[in-house]
Amino acid sequence: IQLTQSPSFLSASVGDRVTITCRASQGISSYLAWYQQKPGKAPKLLIYAASTLQSGVPSRFSGSGSGTEFTLTISSLQPEDFATYYCQQLNSYPFTFGPGTKVDIK
Amino acid sequence: EVQLVESGGGLVKPGGSLRLSCAASGFTFSSYSMNWVRQAPGKGLEWVSSISSSSSYIYYADSVKGRFTISRDNAKNSLYLQMNSLRAEDTAVYYCARIVEYMDVWGKGTTVTVSS
């Protein structure tokens, strides 16, 4: 199963609403997770089962979708949110990741 | 505190071998499936291998199948990745991660560099 993400790069300002899309080459039900990664750090789980917020993750992060199209939304971008975001399907092996979306400061 | 700590990375020549370890603490290691994920310099994340809690089920990415072997020792709360016939394209940070239906706990990673 291939995953694509759009956009691959996003320039935004603090306070902006940001949406990242992840598309799967075939249906994966809701077996999708979103991770945030900052330079030199391990990925951090944000969203699992497409729309469930991981404990401790701010509520400005939300996820939606099922089947083949999914979105990650940050309702009001904060300085600590500038990072790269990856989707991952866990419907079947191999557990593929999307290519990532880098969110940069405008 | 739930924690995963990788070790064993380093510089190795093409064709060489290396064994990575991941020490788990703060949770019942024997109850969870575990994974290795890698990230080449400046690149995205790549899932490498998974092993079920009792080692009954093991999966590999095509890119490492036949060269890498995942294993675990539940008595020692440890996960391993034996890497043989290493290639330059195996150069990456290798992360171990716990998996339920998603990867919720990650180690900080260990760096493997394959170069002559």
Side-chain angles (χ1 to χ4, degrees):
Chain A
I1 299 173
Q2 310 299 320
L3 297 179
T4 59
Q5 285 183 237
S6 60
S8 54
F9 180 84
L10 189 160
S11 185
S13 301
V14 172
D16 283 354
R17 181 182 181 87
V18 166
T19 298
I20 300 168
T21 298
C22 177
R23 290 186 175 87
S25 59
Q26 58 186 267
I28 57 170
S29 185
S30 295
Y31 292 102
L32 188 103
W34 289 96
Y35 303 90
Q36 176 194 66
Q37 188 181 33
K38 296 181 179 179
K41 301 294 187 183
K44 172 188 173 183
L45 177 68
L46 298 176
I47 301 280
Y48 62 92
S51 61
T52 304
L53 194 67
Q54 171 70 344
S55 176
V57 174
S59 59
R60 63 180 179 273
F61 291 92
S62 63
S64 65
S66 67
T68 61
E69 186 154 336
F70 304 85
T71 59
L72 172 70
T73 300
I74 309 172
S75 60
S76 178
L77 200 64
Q78 297 302 300
E80 59 268 30
D81 301 337
F82 292 97
T84 300
Y85 294 84
Y86 295 93
C87 57
Q88 183 196 24
Q89 68 83 17
L90 300 106
N91 179 73
S92 61
Y93 287 100
F95 286 165
T96 42
F97 289 90
T101 296
K102 185 175 182 180
V103 178
D104 210 346
I105 303 172
K106 182 182 284 186
Chain B
E1 179 192 4
V2 174
Q3 195 171 11
L4 297 170
V5 179
E6 303 92 338
S7 60
L11 175 63
V12 60
K13 288 182 168 54
S17 297
L18 213 53
R19 189 195 196 206
L20 305 184
S21 298
C22 171
S25 59
F27 65 100
T28 306
F29 179 73
S30 59
S31 296
Y32 291 87
S33 294
M34 298 294 296
N35 299 263
W36 289 99
V37 174
R38 69 184 180 183
Q39 187 169 36
K43 302 296 185 182
L45 300 169
E46 179 188 15
W47 170 82
V48 172
S49 183
S50 294
I51 185 168
S52 63
S53 57
S54 60
S55 304
S56 298
Y57 299 97
I58 288 176
Y59 304 90
Y60 297 101
D62 286 345
S63 57
V64 306
K65 201 172 294 182
R67 300 187 299 123
F68 289 12
T69 301
I70 192 172
S71 63
R72 64 190 295 161
D73 186 334
N74 287 342
K76 294 183 177 180
N77 291 335
S78 293
L79 174 72
Y80 306 102
L81 186 68
Q82 177 67 42
M83 304 187 296
N84 298 331
S85 303
L86 282 161
R87 307 166 179 168
E89 54 265 35
D90 295 319
T91 294
V93 176
Y94 285 74
Y95 298 101
C96 65
R98 185 177 81 170
I99 185 166
V100 274
E101 292 183 338
Y102 39 86
M103 297 182 186
D104 65 337
V105 179
W106 295 66
K108 293 183 178 181
T110 187
T111 300
V112 172
T113 303
V114 184
S115 175
S116 55

